[in-house]
Amino acid sequence: RENAYYVLKSSGVFDDFDAGINIKFTDGDQKLVMAGLYPRFTETGGYGVYISPLGSYVIGYFTKDKNNEWVWGTLMDWTNHSAIRAGMHESNHLRVICDGERFRVYLNGVLAASFKDSRFKLGKLYVVAEPNGQTDLGIAFSDLQLREVLR
């Protein structure tokens, strides 16, 4: 995607999975930088879950318009959450569970959102950083885990 850094992209395609990663912002404007996961992402679109060092998160999806440009659709707008450790150099764990059309988002082990959406049934998993125009960007990712959904 334009204006996003794909830090990691899965080689395989997944439908239902449980993914988690630690994210720490180390440099950049706190009001602009964000990072997270693109679950079930394809050439035509997919979901996006971001956190920011301001202690907030957002959930949405990408599609392409008639000019083949990426367009963001919001499922849940930027929301502050007390489970997110705000500020630079704070480590936060983001976990996203995709189970059919049901999604659960955990922030540092706390269930932050649960919703249903059937736009994208499978795709790759991306780890992403969004500088939003920043030339100085520092984000540390660690402990990526990808598991099957336990039923």
Side-chain angles (χ1 to χ4, degrees):
R1 231 182 39 73
E2 197 173 304
N3 300 321
Y5 293 112
Y6 298 143
V7 177
L8 181 76
K9 174 176 76 169
S10 67
S11 57
V13 175
F14 303 100
D15 54 3
D16 298 342
F17 59 88
D18 177 348
I21 193 164
N22 291 330
I23 302 170
K24 182 190 297 185
F25 298 92
T26 61
D27 198 7
D29 186 338
Q30 291 188 64
K31 296 177 194 133
L32 297 175
V33 297
M34 55 188 179
L37 298 172
Y38 288 176
R40 293 184 180 168
F41 207 79
T42 69
E43 292 180 10
T44 59
Y47 298 102
V49 182
Y50 294 107
I51 65 170
S52 84
L54 297 176
S56 58
Y57 71 110
V58 66
I59 303 169
Y61 60 93
F62 289 98
T63 55
K64 287 195 173 178
D65 65 12
K66 62 184 178 182
N67 298 320
N68 211 32
E69 299 289 328
W70 290 112
V71 177
W72 173 258
T74 302
L75 291 169
M76 191 186 82
D77 208 353
W78 282 104
T79 303
N80 288 331
H81 199 286
S82 60
I84 299 176
R85 295 177 197 98
M88 303 302 272
H89 304 284
E90 294 288 339
S91 183
N92 287 285
H93 187 77
L94 171 63
R95 180 179 177 199
V96 178
I97 300 173
C98 302
D99 187 5
E101 64 179 24
R102 186 173 174 208
F103 294 79
R104 292 185 304 274
V105 176
Y106 291 85
L107 303 168
N108 292 320
V110 176
L111 179 63
S114 178
F115 64 95
K116 290 184 179 182
D117 192 275
S118 60
R119 283 179 185 87
F120 305 99
K121 299 195 183 336
L122 59 95
K124 295 186 177 200
L125 175 67
Y126 287 70
V127 175
V128 295
E130 292 261 1
N132 288 314
Q134 293 293 290
T135 55
D136 295 326
L137 176 66
I139 302 174
F141 296 95
S142 65
D143 300 322
L144 173 65
Q145 294 185 12
L146 182 62
R147 298 176 291 273
E148 67 180 307
V149 174
L150 298 177
R151 293 186 164 83

